[in-house]
C-alpha cells in the first residue's frame, strides 16, 4: 500500500509540473448538470490504472485531460454513482473528432467490485467533492484552481453523501495589481521613501513578494506580510511597502465558499522600477 501511495504521489507531482487548467468531470444532481472539479477515480491508483487500460489507446489527450476521458456522475438515493466514461476519437475520413463511451459491459467489468445492482457506486471514495455552475469568477492556470458563481461542497463517505453545502460566490470591486497600466502608476500609488535606503543607490528595480494577505468584507487589507527578494532581503523596506499596502482602500475582494479572500494580492510579485 505504501508503494502505491508513493507511486501515486510521483504521478501527481509529475502532472502538476506540467500544470494547466484541467477539464472537469460532469455530474447530475436532481436533473441539473454541474461541473465536478476533481477526479474521484484518481483516489484509487489501481482502479484508475485498470480503467485507463480499458480505454482505446488512440483516444485524444491533452494537457487539460492527460488520461483522455470525461467521467459522468450522478447523485442517486444519496450515493455518488458513476454513469459512464466518455472519450474522443479522431476520424481520419471526416477529419473530425467524435465522442464515444466505454461500453457498458467493459465499464461494469472494470468497476465490478463497486456495482450495486445496475449502478456503480463510488464506495472507494471518501472525501469532499466540489461541483460548480454559472459564470467563472476566478481562474489560476493549474489543476482545478478556479471558482464559479455557484458552488456546492458535497461530503462523501465511502460513496455515500453525508453533507452538502451551497455557496454563491462573487467579487467585491476594488483595486488589483492587474489594473495598473505602468510602473509609474505603481510608484504614484505607493511612493517609497527610497532616499532612506542608501544601499539602493545603484538599484534599478525592487522585487517584492506578498507572502501573506487577508482582506475583510469592506476591502480592507487586514494583514500583509511582504518580503524583498531582489536585490536582497531588506526587512525595513519590506515593512514600509506592507504599511502602504495596508493603508490603501478598497482592494478587490473575492467571496469564495464562505470566505473573503485576497486572491489578487496573496502570492503576488510586485516589480517596482526606480527609474524615472
Amino acid at each position: 500500500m505504501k508503494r502505491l501511495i508513493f507511486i501515486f504521489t510521483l504521478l501527481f507531482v509529475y502532472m502538476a509540473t506540467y500544470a494547466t487548467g484541467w477539464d472537469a468531470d460532469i455530474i447530475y444532481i436532481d436533473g441539473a448538470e454541474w461541473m465536478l472539479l476533481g477526479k474521484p477515480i484518481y483516489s484509487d491508483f489501481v482502479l484508475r490504472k485498470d480503467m485507463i487500460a480499458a480505454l482505446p489507446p488512440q483516444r485524444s489527450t491533452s494537457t487539460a485531460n492527460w488520461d483522455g476521458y470525461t467521467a459522468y456522475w450522478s447523485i442517486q438515493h444519496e450515493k455518488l454513482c458513476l454513469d459512464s466514461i466518455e472519450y474522443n476519437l479522431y476520424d481520419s475520413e471526416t477529419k473530425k473528432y467524435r465522442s464515444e463511451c466505454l461500453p457498458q459491459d467493459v465499464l461494469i467489468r472494470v468497476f465490478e467490485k463497486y456495482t450495486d445492482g445496475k449502478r456503480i457506486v463510488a464506495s472507494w471514495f471518501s472525501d469532499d467533492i466540489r461541483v460548480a455552475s454559472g459564470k467563472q469568477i476566478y481562474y489560476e492556470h493549474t489543476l482545478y484552481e478556479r471558482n464559479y458563481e455557484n458552488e456546492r461542497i458535497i461530503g462523501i463517505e465511502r460513496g455515500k453523501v453525508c453533507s452538502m453545502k451551497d455557496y454563491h460566490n462573487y467579487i467585491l470591486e476594488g483595486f488589483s495589481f492587474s489594473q495598473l497600466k505602468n510602473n509609474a502608476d505603481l510608484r504614484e500609488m505607493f511612493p517609497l521613501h527610497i532616499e532612506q535606503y542608501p544601499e539602493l543607490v545603484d538599484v534599478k528595480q525592487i522585487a517584492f513578494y506578498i507572502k501573506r494577505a487577508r482582506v475583510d468584507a469592506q476591502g480592507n487589507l487586514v494583514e500583509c506580510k511582504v518580503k524583498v527578494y531582489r536585490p536582497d532581503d531588506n526587512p525595513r523596506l519590506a515593512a514600509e511597502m506592507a504599511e502602504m499596502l495596508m493603508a490603501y482602500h478598497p482592494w478587490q475582494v473575492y467571496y469564495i465558499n464562505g470566505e473573503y479572500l485576497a486572491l489578487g494580492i496573496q502570492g503576488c510579485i510586485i516589480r517596482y522600477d526606480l527609474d524615472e
Side-chain angles (χ1 to χ4, degrees), residues 141-190:
H141 198 58
T142 180
L143 309 182
Y144 295 106
E145 293 296 322
R146 58 187 187 265
N147 294 97
Y148 295 82
E149 285 181 307
N150 306 304
E151 295 196 11
R152 179 177 292 180
I153 308 299
I154 305 173
I156 305 292
E157 183 65 35
R158 295 184 180 181
K160 186 175 181 180
V161 174
C162 57
S163 64
M164 191 177 293
K165 191 164 185 178
D166 289 307
Y167 296 96
H168 179 69
N169 300 326
Y170 55 87
I171 300 174
L172 294 172
E173 292 305 322
F175 173 73
S176 70
F177 290 113
S178 63
Q179 297 170 7
L180 288 172
K181 296 180 180 179
N182 52 54
N183 208 266
D185 289 346
L186 176 64
R187 293 198 305 269
E188 183 177 350
M189 291 183 65
F190 307 107

Side-chain angles (χ1 to χ4, degrees), residues 3 10 27 62 98 120 130 156 194 209 216 230 272:
R3 182 171 180 271
L10 287 180
I27 186 169
S62 70
R98 68 178 190 275
I120 298 172
R130 181 166 60 98
I156 305 292
I194 297 301
Y209 170 58
D216 63 17
R230 195 175 62 200
Y272 194 103

Side-chain angles (χ1 to χ4, degrees), residues 29 48-49 51 60 73 77 85 94-95 101 108 113 116 134 139 154 177-178 189 196 200 230 246 255 260 265 267:
I29 305 172
R48 172 189 170 272
K49 180 181 176 183
M51 192 272 294
S60 173
W73 307 82
H77 304 292
I85 298 289
T94 63
K95 300 188 184 305
C101 287
I108 293 296
K113 292 194 303 183
D116 178 9
Y139 177 81
I154 305 173
F177 290 113
S178 63
M189 291 183 65
Q196 298 179 8
L200 299 177
R230 195 175 62 200
M246 291 187 68
Y255 181 77
Y260 294 100
I265 311 170

Side-chain angles (χ1 to χ4, degrees), residues 13-237:
V13 170
Y14 171 79
M15 296 174 81
T17 300
Y18 299 92
T20 186
W22 283 8
D23 291 343
D25 279 353
I26 303 298
I27 186 169
Y28 291 91
I29 305 172
D30 297 328
E33 180 180 303
W34 298 70
M35 291 171 282
L36 197 166
L37 301 174
K39 293 284 186 183
I41 295 174
Y42 280 5
S43 66
D44 187 313
F45 179 78
V46 175
L47 186 61
R48 172 189 170 272
K49 180 181 176 183
D50 291 342
M51 192 272 294
I52 295 303
L55 295 173
Q58 68 272 28
R59 69 191 181 280
S60 173
T61 62
S62 70
T63 56
N65 192 340
W66 288 89
D67 286 332
Y69 79 89
T70 299
Y72 286 77
W73 307 82
S74 61
I75 301 293
Q76 301 179 31
H77 304 292
E78 303 301 315
K79 292 182 179 180
L80 176 63
C81 298
L82 175 62
D83 299 327
S84 61
I85 298 289
E86 185 181 81
Y87 49 85
N88 291 325
L89 295 174
Y90 183 72
D91 190 320
S92 57
E93 292 186 4
T94 63
K95 300 188 184 305
K96 295 181 180 179
Y97 287 96
R98 68 178 190 275
S99 296
E100 291 191 2
C101 287
L102 193 67
Q104 191 66 18
D105 61 327
V106 177
L107 188 67
I108 293 296
R109 174 176 57 78
V110 173
F111 292 88
E112 184 177 7
K113 292 194 303 183
Y114 307 103
T115 55
D116 178 9
K118 295 183 179 180
R119 300 182 304 174
I120 298 172
V121 178
S123 53
W124 70 85
F125 184 80
S126 294
D127 203 347
D128 290 345
I129 59 173
R130 181 166 60 98
V131 304
S133 68
K135 181 182 177 181
Q136 181 175 286
I137 63 171
Y138 175 75
Y139 177 81
E140 190 173 314
H141 198 58
T142 180
L143 309 182
Y144 295 106
E145 293 296 322
R146 58 187 187 265
N147 294 97
Y148 295 82
E149 285 181 307
N150 306 304
E151 295 196 11
R152 179 177 292 180
I153 308 299
I154 305 173
I156 305 292
E157 183 65 35
R158 295 184 180 181
K160 186 175 181 180
V161 174
C162 57
S163 64
M164 191 177 293
K165 191 164 185 178
D166 289 307
Y167 296 96
H168 179 69
N169 300 326
Y170 55 87
I171 300 174
L172 294 172
E173 292 305 322
F175 173 73
S176 70
F177 290 113
S178 63
Q179 297 170 7
L180 288 172
K181 296 180 180 179
N182 52 54
N183 208 266
D185 289 346
L186 176 64
R187 293 198 305 269
E188 183 177 350
M189 291 183 65
F190 307 107
L192 291 169
H193 296 91
I194 297 301
E195 69 280 1
Q196 298 179 8
Y197 304 93
E199 66 273 21
L200 299 177
V201 63
D202 295 321
V203 173
K204 297 185 179 298
Q205 185 186 78
I206 305 167
F208 295 96
Y209 170 58
I210 304 177
K211 58 183 182 178
R212 189 186 309 158
R214 288 192 302 112
V215 288
D216 63 17
Q218 288 72 47
N220 299 302
L221 193 56
V222 297
E223 181 183 12
C224 185
K225 301 294 182 183
V226 176
K227 180 181 176 63
V228 177
Y229 76 92
R230 195 175 62 200
D232 291 303
D233 189 16
N234 189 321
R236 192 162 63 95
L237 181 61

